[in-house]
Amino acid sequence: MSRFRPNIVVKGGKPFEEDTWKTIEIDGSIFHVVKGCPRCKQSCTDQLTGERSEEPLETMAEFRSFGVDGDVYFAQNVVAQDGQGRIRVGSQVRIIERGEPVWNREAAQPE
């Protein structure tokens, strides 16, 4: 997990279920899931040894390569609605709205 440097990790649910989340609530704070997160080569560096390889991106590219440029996506970019609030380890995530995933920055831009 340390290779991906997540801010929030959700336990439980189905694999990649977060791809379809649009709005979630954690501890009374509302978050908007704006787009998938393309992964860079940093995830191929072992955080303890500094050793680099092609994994995990090589394997993930087989089933997580989306978008116009074929980037490998894992996780979602999420924005707090009001920019405030606190969440805690162990808090429950409530899915408020679901929808189709967004895989590129241009599609996530406001009109």
Side-chain angles (χ1 to χ4, degrees), residues 46-100:
D46 184 300
Q47 302 299 300
L48 297 176
T49 66
E51 292 180 30
R52 295 181 181 172
S53 71
E54 296 301 312
E55 293 297 340
L57 290 184
E58 188 172 283
T59 298
M60 291 177 68
E62 296 174 11
F63 63 98
R64 295 294 296 175
S65 183
F66 307 111
V68 187
D69 49 13
D71 282 338
V72 175
Y73 287 82
F74 180 70
Q76 297 291 316
N77 293 128
V78 178
V79 177
Q81 180 169 297
D82 61 8
Q84 297 181 16
R86 291 181 186 255
I87 61 175
R88 294 176 298 280
V89 172
S91 296
Q92 295 294 311
V93 175
R94 183 171 67 96
I95 297 106
I96 296 172
E97 180 183 1
R98 295 179 185 268
E100 291 297 314

Short mmCIF file of all heavy atoms in Angstrom, two decimals, residues 46-100:
data_model
loop_
_atom_site.label_atom_id
_atom_site.label_comp_id
_atom_site.label_asym_id
_atom_site.label_seq_id
_atom_site.Cartn_x
_atom_site.Cartn_y
_atom_site.Cartn_z
N ASP A 46 10.19 0.16 -4.51
CA ASP A 46 10.01 -0.36 -3.16
C ASP A 46 10.39 0.74 -2.17
O ASP A 46 11.52 1.23 -2.19
CB ASP A 46 10.89 -1.60 -2.95
CG ASP A 46 10.67 -2.25 -1.60
OD1 ASP A 46 10.90 -1.58 -0.57
OD2 ASP A 46 10.30 -3.43 -1.58
N GLN A 47 9.46 1.13 -1.32
CA GLN A 47 9.67 2.25 -0.42
C GLN A 47 10.70 1.97 0.67
O GLN A 47 11.24 2.91 1.26
CB GLN A 47 8.34 2.67 0.22
CG GLN A 47 7.28 3.05 -0.80
CD GLN A 47 7.69 4.24 -1.64
OE1 GLN A 47 7.94 5.31 -1.11
NE2 GLN A 47 7.78 4.05 -2.95
N LEU A 48 10.98 0.72 0.94
CA LEU A 48 11.97 0.38 1.98
C LEU A 48 13.38 0.22 1.42
O LEU A 48 14.35 0.63 2.05
CB LEU A 48 11.55 -0.90 2.71
CG LEU A 48 10.23 -0.83 3.47
CD1 LEU A 48 9.89 -2.18 4.07
CD2 LEU A 48 10.30 0.24 4.55
N THR A 49 13.50 -0.37 0.23
CA THR A 49 14.83 -0.66 -0.32
C THR A 49 15.26 0.31 -1.42
O THR A 49 16.43 0.39 -1.73
CB THR A 49 14.87 -2.08 -0.91
OG1 THR A 49 14.00 -2.14 -2.05
CG2 THR A 49 14.45 -3.11 0.13
N GLY A 50 14.30 1.00 -2.04
CA GLY A 50 14.62 1.88 -3.16
C GLY A 50 14.76 1.15 -4.48
O GLY A 50 14.99 1.76 -5.52
N GLU A 51 14.59 -0.17 -4.46
CA GLU A 51 14.69 -0.96 -5.69
C GLU A 51 13.51 -0.68 -6.60
O GLU A 51 12.38 -0.52 -6.14
CB GLU A 51 14.75 -2.45 -5.36
CG GLU A 51 16.01 -2.87 -4.66
CD GLU A 51 16.03 -4.35 -4.36
OE1 GLU A 51 15.43 -5.14 -5.13
OE2 GLU A 51 16.64 -4.73 -3.35
N ARG A 52 13.79 -0.63 -7.91
CA ARG A 52 12.74 -0.35 -8.90
C ARG A 52 12.52 -1.57 -9.78
O ARG A 52 13.44 -2.33 -10.04
CB ARG A 52 13.15 0.83 -9.77
CG ARG A 52 13.25 2.11 -9.01
CD ARG A 52 13.64 3.24 -9.91
NE ARG A 52 13.77 4.46 -9.14
CZ ARG A 52 14.24 5.58 -9.62
NH1 ARG A 52 14.63 5.65 -10.86
NH2 ARG A 52 14.31 6.65 -8.86
N SER A 53 11.28 -1.70 -10.23
CA SER A 53 10.92 -2.78 -11.16
C SER A 53 9.77 -2.28 -12.01
O SER A 53 9.36 -1.13 -11.91
CB SER A 53 10.53 -4.04 -10.38
OG SER A 53 9.28 -3.86 -9.75
N GLU A 54 9.23 -3.14 -12.83
CA GLU A 54 8.08 -2.79 -13.67
C GLU A 54 6.75 -3.05 -12.94
O GLU A 54 5.69 -2.65 -13.42
CB GLU A 54 8.10 -3.57 -14.98
CG GLU A 54 9.30 -3.24 -15.85
CD GLU A 54 9.35 -1.76 -16.22
OE1 GLU A 54 8.33 -1.21 -16.66
OE2 GLU A 54 10.43 -1.16 -16.07
N GLU A 55 6.84 -3.74 -11.82
CA GLU A 55 5.63 -4.08 -11.06
C GLU A 55 5.35 -3.01 -10.01
O GLU A 55 6.28 -2.42 -9.49
CB GLU A 55 5.78 -5.44 -10.40
CG GLU A 55 5.83 -6.59 -11.38
CD GLU A 55 4.56 -6.75 -12.22
OE1 GLU A 55 3.49 -6.25 -11.82
OE2 GLU A 55 4.64 -7.37 -13.26
N PRO A 56 4.12 -2.73 -9.71
CA PRO A 56 2.90 -3.45 -10.09
C PRO A 56 2.23 -2.94 -11.37
O PRO A 56 1.23 -3.48 -11.80
CB PRO A 56 1.99 -3.21 -8.89
CG PRO A 56 2.35 -1.84 -8.44
CD PRO A 56 3.84 -1.74 -8.67
N LEU A 57 2.80 -1.89 -11.99
CA LEU A 57 2.14 -1.30 -13.17
C LEU A 57 2.01 -2.27 -14.33
O LEU A 57 1.01 -2.25 -15.05
CB LEU A 57 2.86 -0.03 -13.62
CG LEU A 57 2.74 1.16 -12.69
CD1 LEU A 57 3.43 2.38 -13.30
CD2 LEU A 57 1.29 1.49 -12.39
N GLU A 58 3.00 -3.12 -14.52
CA GLU A 58 2.95 -4.05 -15.65
C GLU A 58 1.74 -4.98 -15.54
O GLU A 58 0.99 -5.16 -16.49
CB GLU A 58 4.24 -4.86 -15.71
CG GLU A 58 4.34 -5.72 -16.96
CD GLU A 58 5.70 -6.36 -17.07
OE1 GLU A 58 6.66 -5.66 -17.46
OE2 GLU A 58 5.81 -7.57 -16.77
N THR A 59 1.52 -5.54 -14.37
CA THR A 59 0.37 -6.42 -14.16
C THR A 59 -0.93 -5.64 -14.19
O THR A 59 -1.91 -6.06 -14.82
CB THR A 59 0.51 -7.18 -12.83
OG1 THR A 59 1.68 -8.00 -12.89
CG2 THR A 59 -0.72 -8.04 -12.55
N MET A 60 -0.95 -4.48 -13.52
CA MET A 60 -2.18 -3.69 -13.48
C MET A 60 -2.60 -3.20 -14.87
O MET A 60 -3.79 -3.03 -15.13
CB MET A 60 -2.01 -2.51 -12.53
CG MET A 60 -1.92 -2.95 -11.08
SD MET A 60 -1.63 -1.58 -9.96
CE MET A 60 -3.18 -0.71 -10.11
N ALA A 61 -1.64 -2.99 -15.77
CA ALA A 61 -1.96 -2.53 -17.13
C ALA A 61 -2.82 -3.54 -17.87
O ALA A 61 -3.57 -3.17 -18.78
CB ALA A 61 -0.67 -2.27 -17.90
N GLU A 62 -2.76 -4.80 -17.47
CA GLU A 62 -3.56 -5.83 -18.12
C GLU A 62 -5.06 -5.65 -17.88
O GLU A 62 -5.87 -6.10 -18.69
CB GLU A 62 -3.13 -7.22 -17.63
CG GLU A 62 -1.70 -7.56 -18.01
CD GLU A 62 -1.24 -8.87 -17.41
OE1 GLU A 62 -2.08 -9.64 -16.87
OE2 GLU A 62 -0.03 -9.13 -17.47
N PHE A 63 -5.44 -5.01 -16.77
CA PHE A 63 -6.87 -4.88 -16.48
C PHE A 63 -7.27 -3.51 -15.94
O PHE A 63 -8.45 -3.29 -15.66
CB PHE A 63 -7.32 -5.98 -15.51
CG PHE A 63 -6.67 -5.93 -14.16
CD1 PHE A 63 -7.31 -5.35 -13.08
CD2 PHE A 63 -5.40 -6.46 -13.95
CE1 PHE A 63 -6.72 -5.29 -11.84
CE2 PHE A 63 -4.80 -6.42 -12.71
CZ PHE A 63 -5.46 -5.83 -11.65
N ARG A 64 -6.34 -2.55 -15.80
CA ARG A 64 -6.66 -1.22 -15.27
C ARG A 64 -6.15 -0.11 -16.17
O ARG A 64 -5.88 1.00 -15.72
CB ARG A 64 -6.07 -1.05 -13.86
CG ARG A 64 -6.63 -1.97 -12.81
CD ARG A 64 -8.07 -1.73 -12.50
NE ARG A 64 -8.29 -0.41 -11.92
CZ ARG A 64 -9.47 0.10 -11.64
NH1 ARG A 64 -10.56 -0.59 -11.89
NH2 ARG A 64 -9.59 1.29 -11.13
N SER A 65 -6.02 -0.38 -17.46
CA SER A 65 -5.54 0.62 -18.41
C SER A 65 -6.75 1.22 -19.12
O SER A 65 -7.46 0.53 -19.86
CB SER A 65 -4.59 -0.04 -19.42
OG SER A 65 -4.08 0.92 -20.29
N PHE A 66 -6.99 2.53 -18.86
CA PHE A 66 -8.17 3.20 -19.40
C PHE A 66 -7.78 4.57 -19.95
O PHE A 66 -6.67 5.02 -19.77
CB PHE A 66 -9.23 3.43 -18.31
CG PHE A 66 -9.61 2.20 -17.56
CD1 PHE A 66 -9.25 2.04 -16.23
CD2 PHE A 66 -10.33 1.19 -18.16
CE1 PHE A 66 -9.62 0.92 -15.51
CE2 PHE A 66 -10.69 0.05 -17.46
CZ PHE A 66 -10.33 -0.08 -16.13
N GLY A 67 -8.76 5.23 -20.53
CA GLY A 67 -8.55 6.60 -20.97
C GLY A 67 -7.92 6.68 -22.35
O GLY A 67 -7.56 5.68 -22.96
N VAL A 68 -7.78 7.88 -22.81
CA VAL A 68 -7.28 8.15 -24.15
C VAL A 68 -5.84 7.69 -24.30
O VAL A 68 -5.45 7.13 -25.32
CB VAL A 68 -7.37 9.66 -24.45
CG1 VAL A 68 -7.03 9.95 -25.89
CG2 VAL A 68 -8.75 10.19 -24.12
N ASP A 69 -5.02 7.91 -23.28
CA ASP A 69 -3.59 7.62 -23.37
C ASP A 69 -3.20 6.26 -22.80
O ASP A 69 -2.04 5.92 -22.79
CB ASP A 69 -2.80 8.71 -22.66
CG ASP A 69 -3.33 9.02 -21.28
OD1 ASP A 69 -4.15 8.23 -20.77
OD2 ASP A 69 -2.95 10.05 -20.70
N GLY A 70 -4.17 5.49 -22.33
CA GLY A 70 -3.88 4.16 -21.81
C GLY A 70 -3.18 4.13 -20.48
O GLY A 70 -2.50 3.17 -20.14
N ASP A 71 -3.32 5.20 -19.67
CA ASP A 71 -2.73 5.22 -18.34
C ASP A 71 -3.29 4.08 -17.50
O ASP A 71 -4.40 3.60 -17.72
CB ASP A 71 -3.05 6.54 -17.62
CG ASP A 71 -2.17 7.69 -18.08
OD1 ASP A 71 -1.09 7.42 -18.62
OD2 ASP A 71 -2.58 8.84 -17.89
N VAL A 72 -2.52 3.67 -16.50
CA VAL A 72 -2.95 2.65 -15.54
C VAL A 72 -3.56 3.38 -14.35
O VAL A 72 -2.93 4.24 -13.75
CB VAL A 72 -1.76 1.78 -15.09
CG1 VAL A 72 -2.21 0.80 -14.01
CG2 VAL A 72 -1.17 1.04 -16.27
N TYR A 73 -4.81 3.02 -14.02
CA TYR A 73 -5.54 3.69 -12.95
C TYR A 73 -5.74 2.78 -11.76
O TYR A 73 -6.06 1.60 -11.91
CB TYR A 73 -6.91 4.15 -13.45
CG TYR A 73 -6.83 5.32 -14.39
CD1 TYR A 73 -6.55 5.13 -15.73
CD2 TYR A 73 -7.01 6.61 -13.93
CE1 TYR A 73 -6.47 6.21 -16.59
CE2 TYR A 73 -6.93 7.69 -14.78
CZ TYR A 73 -6.66 7.48 -16.12
OH TYR A 73 -6.58 8.55 -16.96
N PHE A 74 -5.53 3.35 -10.59
CA PHE A 74 -5.78 2.63 -9.34
C PHE A 74 -6.15 3.67 -8.30
O PHE A 74 -5.37 4.58 -8.02
CB PHE A 74 -4.53 1.86 -8.90
CG PHE A 74 -4.70 1.11 -7.61
CD1 PHE A 74 -5.50 -0.01 -7.56
CD2 PHE A 74 -4.06 1.52 -6.46
CE1 PHE A 74 -5.66 -0.72 -6.37
CE2 PHE A 74 -4.22 0.83 -5.26
CZ PHE A 74 -5.02 -0.29 -5.23
N ALA A 75 -7.34 3.58 -7.75
CA ALA A 75 -7.87 4.52 -6.75
C ALA A 75 -8.56 5.70 -7.42
O ALA A 75 -8.65 5.77 -8.65
CB ALA A 75 -6.80 4.99 -5.78
N GLN A 76 -9.07 6.61 -6.60
CA GLN A 76 -9.84 7.75 -7.08
C GLN A 76 -9.35 9.04 -6.44
O GLN A 76 -8.87 9.04 -5.31
CB GLN A 76 -11.32 7.56 -6.73
CG GLN A 76 -11.96 6.36 -7.40
CD GLN A 76 -12.10 6.53 -8.89
OE1 GLN A 76 -12.49 7.59 -9.36
NE2 GLN A 76 -11.77 5.50 -9.64
N ASN A 77 -9.47 10.14 -7.20
CA ASN A 77 -9.21 11.46 -6.65
C ASN A 77 -10.51 11.99 -6.07
O ASN A 77 -11.56 11.95 -6.73
CB ASN A 77 -8.70 12.42 -7.72
CG ASN A 77 -7.32 12.04 -8.24
OD1 ASN A 77 -7.13 11.92 -9.42
ND2 ASN A 77 -6.38 11.85 -7.35
N VAL A 78 -10.45 12.44 -4.81
CA VAL A 78 -11.64 12.86 -4.08
C VAL A 78 -11.42 14.27 -3.54
O VAL A 78 -10.32 14.60 -3.09
CB VAL A 78 -11.91 11.88 -2.90
CG1 VAL A 78 -13.10 12.30 -2.09
CG2 VAL A 78 -12.10 10.47 -3.44
N VAL A 79 -12.47 15.10 -3.60
CA VAL A 79 -12.39 16.49 -3.14
C VAL A 79 -13.46 16.72 -2.08
O VAL A 79 -14.62 16.34 -2.26
CB VAL A 79 -12.61 17.47 -4.32
CG1 VAL A 79 -12.61 18.90 -3.85
CG2 VAL A 79 -11.58 17.24 -5.40
N ALA A 80 -13.05 17.33 -0.97
CA ALA A 80 -14.00 17.65 0.09
C ALA A 80 -14.93 18.77 -0.38
O ALA A 80 -14.48 19.74 -0.97
CB ALA A 80 -13.27 18.08 1.36
N GLN A 81 -16.22 18.63 -0.10
CA GLN A 81 -17.20 19.61 -0.57
C GLN A 81 -16.95 20.99 0.02
O GLN A 81 -16.98 21.99 -0.68
CB GLN A 81 -18.61 19.15 -0.23
CG GLN A 81 -19.68 20.13 -0.68
CD GLN A 81 -21.05 19.52 -0.57
OE1 GLN A 81 -21.33 18.54 -1.25
NE2 GLN A 81 -21.90 20.08 0.28
N ASP A 82 -16.70 21.06 1.34
CA ASP A 82 -16.54 22.38 1.97
C ASP A 82 -15.12 22.66 2.40
O ASP A 82 -14.84 23.70 2.97
CB ASP A 82 -17.50 22.53 3.14
CG ASP A 82 -17.26 21.51 4.24
OD1 ASP A 82 -16.27 20.76 4.16
OD2 ASP A 82 -18.07 21.46 5.17
N GLY A 83 -14.20 21.73 2.14
CA GLY A 83 -12.81 21.94 2.49
C GLY A 83 -12.51 21.86 3.97
O GLY A 83 -11.41 22.19 4.41
N GLN A 84 -13.49 21.45 4.77
CA GLN A 84 -13.29 21.36 6.21
C GLN A 84 -13.79 20.02 6.72
O GLN A 84 -14.28 19.20 5.96
CB GLN A 84 -14.04 22.49 6.91
CG GLN A 84 -13.54 23.85 6.52
CD GLN A 84 -14.29 24.94 7.27
OE1 GLN A 84 -14.95 24.69 8.25
NE2 GLN A 84 -14.17 26.16 6.79
N GLY A 85 -13.69 19.83 8.00
CA GLY A 85 -14.17 18.60 8.62
C GLY A 85 -13.02 17.67 8.94
O GLY A 85 -11.91 17.84 8.47
N ARG A 86 -13.31 16.71 9.80
CA ARG A 86 -12.30 15.73 10.20
C ARG A 86 -12.86 14.34 10.00
O ARG A 86 -14.04 14.10 10.26
CB ARG A 86 -11.95 15.90 11.67
CG ARG A 86 -11.19 17.16 11.97
CD ARG A 86 -10.87 17.20 13.46
NE ARG A 86 -10.27 18.46 13.81
CZ ARG A 86 -8.98 18.61 14.07
NH1 ARG A 86 -8.18 17.58 14.02
NH2 ARG A 86 -8.51 19.78 14.39
N ILE A 87 -11.99 13.46 9.56
CA ILE A 87 -12.35 12.06 9.50
C ILE A 87 -11.36 11.29 10.37
O ILE A 87 -10.25 11.78 10.64
CB ILE A 87 -12.37 11.52 8.05
CG1 ILE A 87 -10.99 11.65 7.39
CG2 ILE A 87 -13.42 12.27 7.23
CD1 ILE A 87 -10.93 11.03 6.03
N ARG A 88 -11.77 10.13 10.82
CA ARG A 88 -10.94 9.35 11.73
C ARG A 88 -10.74 7.93 11.22
O ARG A 88 -11.58 7.41 10.48
CB ARG A 88 -11.60 9.29 13.11
CG ARG A 88 -11.69 10.64 13.81
CD ARG A 88 -12.43 10.55 15.13
NE ARG A 88 -13.83 10.14 15.02
CZ ARG A 88 -14.83 10.94 14.68
NH1 ARG A 88 -14.60 12.20 14.39
NH2 ARG A 88 -16.06 10.50 14.63
N VAL A 89 -9.66 7.32 11.64
CA VAL A 89 -9.42 5.91 11.35
C VAL A 89 -10.59 5.11 11.90
O VAL A 89 -11.02 5.34 13.03
CB VAL A 89 -8.09 5.44 11.97
CG1 VAL A 89 -7.94 3.93 11.82
CG2 VAL A 89 -6.92 6.17 11.34
N GLY A 90 -11.12 4.22 11.10
CA GLY A 90 -12.23 3.39 11.53
C GLY A 90 -13.60 3.96 11.20
O GLY A 90 -14.61 3.31 11.44
N SER A 91 -13.65 5.17 10.64
CA SER A 91 -14.94 5.78 10.28
C SER A 91 -15.60 5.00 9.15
O SER A 91 -14.93 4.41 8.31
CB SER A 91 -14.73 7.23 9.83
OG SER A 91 -14.25 8.00 10.88
N GLN A 92 -16.93 5.03 9.15
CA GLN A 92 -17.69 4.39 8.10
C GLN A 92 -17.80 5.31 6.89
O GLN A 92 -17.89 6.53 7.03
CB GLN A 92 -19.11 4.06 8.59
CG GLN A 92 -19.13 3.04 9.71
CD GLN A 92 -18.65 1.68 9.25
OE1 GLN A 92 -19.09 1.17 8.23
NE2 GLN A 92 -17.72 1.11 10.00
N VAL A 93 -17.79 4.72 5.71
CA VAL A 93 -18.00 5.45 4.46
C VAL A 93 -19.40 5.15 3.98
O VAL A 93 -19.79 3.99 3.86
CB VAL A 93 -16.98 5.05 3.38
CG1 VAL A 93 -17.28 5.73 2.06
CG2 VAL A 93 -15.56 5.34 3.84
N ARG A 94 -20.17 6.20 3.72
CA ARG A 94 -21.53 6.02 3.19
C ARG A 94 -21.54 6.52 1.76
O ARG A 94 -21.15 7.66 1.48
CB ARG A 94 -22.54 6.81 4.03
CG ARG A 94 -23.98 6.60 3.58
CD ARG A 94 -24.97 7.22 4.55
NE ARG A 94 -24.89 8.66 4.59
CZ ARG A 94 -25.69 9.48 3.90
NH1 ARG A 94 -26.62 8.99 3.11
NH2 ARG A 94 -25.56 10.78 4.01
N ILE A 95 -21.96 5.65 0.84
CA ILE A 95 -22.03 6.05 -0.57
C ILE A 95 -23.36 6.75 -0.79
O ILE A 95 -24.42 6.18 -0.55
CB ILE A 95 -21.89 4.82 -1.51
CG1 ILE A 95 -20.51 4.18 -1.34
CG2 ILE A 95 -22.06 5.23 -2.95
CD1 ILE A 95 -20.53 2.91 -0.61
N ILE A 96 -23.29 7.99 -1.20
CA ILE A 96 -24.50 8.79 -1.43
C ILE A 96 -24.97 8.67 -2.87
O ILE A 96 -26.15 8.58 -3.15
CB ILE A 96 -24.25 10.27 -1.06
CG1 ILE A 96 -23.95 10.37 0.43
CG2 ILE A 96 -25.42 11.15 -1.46
CD1 ILE A 96 -23.49 11.74 0.88
N GLU A 97 -24.00 8.68 -3.80
CA GLU A 97 -24.36 8.63 -5.23
C GLU A 97 -23.33 7.79 -5.97
O GLU A 97 -22.15 7.82 -5.67
CB GLU A 97 -24.37 10.05 -5.80
CG GLU A 97 -24.73 10.13 -7.26
CD GLU A 97 -24.65 11.54 -7.82
OE1 GLU A 97 -24.30 12.47 -7.09
OE2 GLU A 97 -24.93 11.68 -9.01
N ARG A 98 -23.83 7.03 -6.94
CA ARG A 98 -22.98 6.22 -7.82
C ARG A 98 -23.15 6.69 -9.25
O ARG A 98 -24.13 7.33 -9.59
CB ARG A 98 -23.35 4.74 -7.73
CG ARG A 98 -23.10 4.11 -6.38
CD ARG A 98 -23.52 2.64 -6.39
NE ARG A 98 -23.41 2.05 -5.08
CZ ARG A 98 -22.34 1.42 -4.61
NH1 ARG A 98 -21.28 1.29 -5.38
NH2 ARG A 98 -22.32 0.92 -3.40
N GLY A 99 -22.18 6.36 -10.08
CA GLY A 99 -22.26 6.73 -11.49
C GLY A 99 -21.12 6.10 -12.28
O GLY A 99 -20.33 5.32 -11.75
N GLU A 100 -21.04 6.48 -13.54
CA GLU A 100 -20.00 5.96 -14.42
C GLU A 100 -18.64 6.54 -14.03
O GLU A 100 -18.54 7.71 -13.68
CB GLU A 100 -20.31 6.31 -15.87
CG GLU A 100 -21.51 5.58 -16.43
CD GLU A 100 -21.29 4.07 -16.47
OE1 GLU A 100 -20.22 3.62 -16.91
OE2 GLU A 100 -22.20 3.34 -16.02
#
